[in-house]
């Protein structure tokens, strides 16, 4: 099993920056991939940073060049640095991970509870 806890959300003005954190605990040795998603009011959840099996991060055009993922493996924490924030970035941001081998065959999705980011215009 895996527990993911996000933090770092808040209110920021347009053009500002925030850094979100995702602390992982449990069977972290079996983490296959990690990433970030967001869900704005009235919209579907969308990916903002997803990890390929090779370990690269993929960003959609909407955040490319503004959002960057980093990790502190010793702290088992993943970060999402968000710069040049826009009102359309307002959403609940979720940490996501896929748990795989050797803990289990195939993959299982885990989600954090989310952290709210509000960008004021």
């Amino acid at each position: 099993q895996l527990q993911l806890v996000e933090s770092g959300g808040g209110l920021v003005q347009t053009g500002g920056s925030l850094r979100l954190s995702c602390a992982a605990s449990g069977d972290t040795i079996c983490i296959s991939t990690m990433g970030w998603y967001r869900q704005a009011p009235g919209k579907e959840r969308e990916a903002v940073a997803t990890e390929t099996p090779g370990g690269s991060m993929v960003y959609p055009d909407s955040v490319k060049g503004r959002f960057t993922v980093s990790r502190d493996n010793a702290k088992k924490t993943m970060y999402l640095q968000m710069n040049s924030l826009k009102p359309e970035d307002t959403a609940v941001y979720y940490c996501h991970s896929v748990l795989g081998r050797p803990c289990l065959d195939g993959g299982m999705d885990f989600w954090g509870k989310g952290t709210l980011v509000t960008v004021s215009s």
Side-chain angles (χ1 to χ4, degrees):
Q1 295 297 306
L2 194 64
Q3 295 78 44
L4 303 172
V5 179
E6 305 96 335
S7 61
L11 175 65
V12 63
Q13 292 185 335
T14 296
S17 297
L18 278 177
R19 189 178 77 157
L20 306 183
S21 300
C22 172
S25 61
D27 294 326
T28 58
I29 192 173
C30 297
I31 289 176
S32 177
T33 61
M34 294 189 75
W36 289 93
Y37 288 70
R38 69 185 180 187
Q39 187 165 19
K43 295 188 177 181
E44 294 186 354
R45 191 172 296 190
E46 63 175 355
V48 294
T50 53
E51 185 178 11
T52 69
S56 300
M57 297 304 298
V58 178
Y59 305 91
D61 289 343
S62 59
V63 308
K64 194 176 296 182
R66 300 188 298 120
F67 289 12
T68 305
V69 170
S70 62
R71 285 185 181 179
D72 184 331
N73 290 327
K75 294 182 179 179
K76 300 179 183 179
T77 300
M78 177 178 64
Y79 303 97
L80 179 67
Q81 178 66 43
M82 305 185 296
N83 299 326
S84 302
L85 283 162
K86 306 174 182 180
E88 51 263 44
D89 294 319
T90 295
V92 177
Y93 284 72
Y94 297 91
C95 180
H96 170 260
S97 182
V98 176
L99 202 67
R101 294 180 178 180
C103 297
L104 48 84
D105 291 329
M108 180 178 289
D109 292 293
F110 289 86
W111 295 88
K113 293 184 178 181
T115 185
L116 176 63
V117 172
T118 303
V119 184
S120 64
S121 57

